[in-house]
Amino acid sequence: MPQPPAGGSLSVPRAAGTIAGLPGGGRIAVWQGFASALAMAVGGLGVGWMANGSSLIRVPFFIVLRDNPVLVVLCTVLVASGGLLLVRAWLRLGQRVGDWTGVHPRVAVRIAALWCAPFMVTFPLLSRDVYAYIGQGRLMAAGLDPYVNGISALNNYHNLGPDSLWTEAPTPYGPLFLWIEQGIVWLSGGNLEVAIVLFRLVAVGGVALCAVAVVGLAEHFGLGTSKTLWLTVVNPLFVINFVASIHNDALMLGLLLLGLLAAVRRRPVLAVVIVTVSILIKPITILALPFIGLIWAGRDAGWGRRILYWAATAAISLALLAAAGAVSGLWFGWVPAMATPGALWIWYAPFGLLSVIAGDITQLAGGDPDLVAGLIKRVGTIVGAVIALWFILRGRSDQVFLRMALAFTAVVMTASMIQPWYITWLMALFALVGVRKGWQLLAYYLVTVFFTVIAITDQLDVFEWIPLAVVRAVAIVLSVAFVSYMVLWDWKTRVLFAPLIPSRSRTP
């Protein structure tokens, strides 16, 4: 097989940069992944999110597909099995390729594009956040402040299809994303399907930025470029959460990684500007600024120099944020609005689960459950912030990326709500630190499997007269059965999870 040029540049002879250049087994895995994504996209026509105001809701094809319980269950099976088979194809791709140094980065990028393509022509899958984006864009177009008003301020807002959380709550997104929302609402002329396509194109643009930045950062750190792309943009969590579900995290993460690439290439001011643009999409990436200040200060900088460059980083970013706030007229309204996701909880978030248990106990004792639950969530937020601050202030000067990955992990894992797409931020950062064979790669596999299962069993759109509990039970049972098969009985994939299995079970 032709070897890639030194450094993994995307400039390569045409034959070496195509999927045909993969080993035979690798090509099989690629097309298995495409078929899996296609199955999910087809199933999404039946259980993907369709707003009441959609122009397609009265089309006979969709009426039959979404009104018939048997067809709804079939679509659920397609979505769940497609998602799990996509994970298996990703695992098998890694196995069959083996040594990624002989694969050019362009091949990995094309695999990601192939796996993302089917989702461009289906309804939003496993999340309806895009309908909240559309509603917030309409708020902007109507001259209303999304940091003060929920989507319920619009006439007939229920036809837009947003989650009930966003009907009353302010948006936690930055002003740049609000402008994007407003622009897409204007370009779509109020057509929900056109707006969905445009938001998907924005998400694809974010994935493209991720790919460019991952290539540059992997080269800088001396990592296998194609393998790092396989761990990130080819990963099913990226494909599903960014393109199928249409989350603005794709653009946020793409800009963050691009800013970090500028930082390691010794263009610190540009790095601060790009990361600030990322903050204007979703403010969580403000956490990266102190680490950019550390990179700017230099490897062996003392405390005086660190403080100086932290101050310079903060000043540049704050000036840009203030300018954006002044132009939009919304200023820093996103700061208090960032508390919106904190009102939620999920069972696998430690502080979220603890808040609910403590609240229930308090209620049984005659106390105020909301007060206690809110206090525990606040404690979780403070704990995450303190741990992140520790990683900013302490540690070896040559471990900035590792410390940044751990700081983001602390903030995510101490939140009361951990969404599957949050995990993509962490996976990208850890992949750029370097994922070694052994327990690190195993952890990567387990996280991918777990959060894919969470995604495909959590949000399915069915009519009120079709029992949602039954439909979700089908997805859950299928997921548990397939994961058990893949881990315990599939002789091709079970070797990847061998350390988790008792020795007698691993014997052929």
Side-chain angles (χ1 to χ4, degrees):
M1 181 185 296
Q3 295 297 310
S9 167
L10 288 179
S11 175
V12 66
R14 183 174 179 180
T18 65
I19 294 172
L22 284 172
R27 294 195 297 273
I28 292 172
V30 169
W31 289 110
Q32 286 174 337
F34 174 76
S36 304
L38 186 60
M40 288 189 73
V42 172
L45 298 177
V47 292
W49 286 98
M50 178 191 283
N52 291 335
S54 171
S55 59
L56 301 177
I57 201 166
R58 292 183 176 84
V59 173
F61 171 78
F62 292 110
I63 293 175
V64 172
L65 189 63
R66 301 174 81 90
D67 189 56
N68 186 308
V70 174
L71 293 179
V72 168
V73 170
L74 176 60
C75 288
T76 302
V77 170
L78 284 173
V79 169
S81 61
L84 294 164
L85 285 168
L86 183 61
V87 172
R88 186 182 184 279
W90 176 74
L91 293 171
R92 292 292 293 140
L93 178 62
Q95 283 182 306
R96 284 168 161 165
V97 171
D99 184 5
W100 283 92
T101 58
V103 178
H104 197 275
R106 183 176 293 173
V107 176
V109 170
R110 289 183 174 179
I111 294 170
L114 185 66
W115 289 3
C116 288
F119 297 115
M120 299 302 295
V121 289
T122 192
F123 292 113
L125 263 175
L126 313 175
S127 173
R128 48 176 160 168
D129 280 4
V130 68
Y131 291 116
Y133 302 163
I134 295 170
Q136 290 155 7
R138 290 194 177 188
L139 285 173
M140 291 284 289
L144 299 173
D145 185 349
Y147 296 134
V148 175
N149 299 282
I151 297 170
S152 60
L154 298 168
N155 292 328
N156 298 319
Y157 69 90
H158 54 279
N159 286 331
L160 298 179
D163 190 288
S164 58
L165 167 68
W166 300 112
T167 58
E168 301 293 339
T171 175
Y173 307 133
L176 176 57
F177 192 68
L178 295 182
W179 289 332
I180 293 173
E181 292 173 332
Q182 183 179 4
I184 287 178
V185 165
W186 177 78
L187 287 172
S188 65
N191 185 290
L192 291 175
E193 283 67 45
V194 173
I196 288 169
V197 171
L198 293 175
F199 275 113
R200 268 215 173 96
L201 290 174
V202 170
V204 168
V207 173
L209 290 179
C210 287
V212 170
V214 164
V215 169
L217 287 165
E219 289 178 357
H220 175 82
F221 291 118
L223 301 172
T225 307
S226 295
K227 181 180 179 181
T228 309
L229 287 168
W230 170 67
L231 290 169
T232 54
V233 297
V234 183
N235 189 292
L237 287 182
F238 281 70
V239 174
I240 293 172
N241 289 298
F242 287 169
V243 181
S245 297
I246 323 178
H247 284 113
N248 59 2
D249 299 63
L251 184 58
M252 176 205 80
L253 182 61
L255 288 166
L256 170 64
L257 296 178
L258 206 61
L260 294 172
L261 177 60
V264 299
R265 287 181 172 175
R266 300 184 180 179
R267 303 181 70 181
V269 175
L270 178 61
V272 175
V273 170
I274 296 175
V275 171
T276 302
V277 174
S278 175
I279 295 168
L280 290 169
I281 299 294
K282 207 167 182 179
I284 184 64
T285 50
I286 198 169
L287 184 57
L289 289 179
F291 295 98
I292 289 179
L294 289 173
I295 295 172
W296 191 357
R299 181 171 178 174
D300 298 316
W303 280 107
R305 185 175 175 86
R306 291 183 190 185
I307 293 171
L308 174 64
Y309 284 100
W310 277 332
T313 299
I316 296 169
S317 184
L318 185 61
L320 292 171
L321 292 172
V327 171
S328 68
L330 302 175
W331 292 100
F332 290 93
W334 50 268
V335 174
M338 284 180 67
T340 298
L344 303 175
W345 74 278
I346 200 161
W347 61 269
Y348 54 80
F351 280 92
L353 180 60
L354 182 60
S355 70
V356 173
I357 293 173
D360 289 344
I361 294 174
T362 302
Q363 187 172 27
L364 290 174
D368 185 345
D370 293 335
L371 176 63
V372 173
L375 180 62
I376 291 176
K377 290 176 183 177
R378 182 61 58 87
V379 169
T381 301
I382 294 172
V383 169
V386 169
I387 295 173
L389 182 61
W390 190 89
F391 284 120
I392 291 169
L393 299 177
R394 301 294 298 271
R396 287 167 47 185
S397 59
D398 61 343
Q399 293 182 326
V400 172
F401 257 70
L402 175 59
R403 288 156 57 191
M404 180 167 54
L406 292 170
F408 271 94
T409 302
V411 171
V412 169
M413 297 307 295
T414 55
S416 59
M417 184 68 183
I418 303 173
Q419 299 283 17
W421 47 97
Y422 297 176
I423 304 304
T424 58
W425 322 338
L426 311 183
M427 297 183 83
L429 293 174
F430 279 113
L432 292 166
V433 173
V435 177
R436 296 185 178 91
K437 290 183 179 180
W439 71 265
Q440 292 183 0
L441 190 55
L442 175 61
Y444 222 88
Y445 293 155
L446 293 174
V447 168
T448 300
V449 171
F450 178 80
F451 282 100
T452 299
V453 170
I454 291 296
I456 63 181
T457 58
D458 183 38
Q459 293 197 39
L460 299 168
D461 183 27
V462 300
F463 288 144
E464 300 89 17
W465 53 87
I466 297 176
L468 177 59
V470 173
V471 175
R472 288 191 66 186
V474 170
I476 292 170
V477 170
L478 182 60
S479 297
V480 171
F482 190 91
V483 171
S484 299
Y485 165 75
M486 195 164 54
V487 173
L488 298 174
W489 294 289
D490 185 340
W491 66 273
K492 294 180 180 179
T493 58
R494 68 180 181 177
V495 295
L496 300 174
F497 303 95
L500 303 175
I501 305 169
S503 58
R504 286 185 299 176
S505 299
R506 296 202 304 263
T507 304

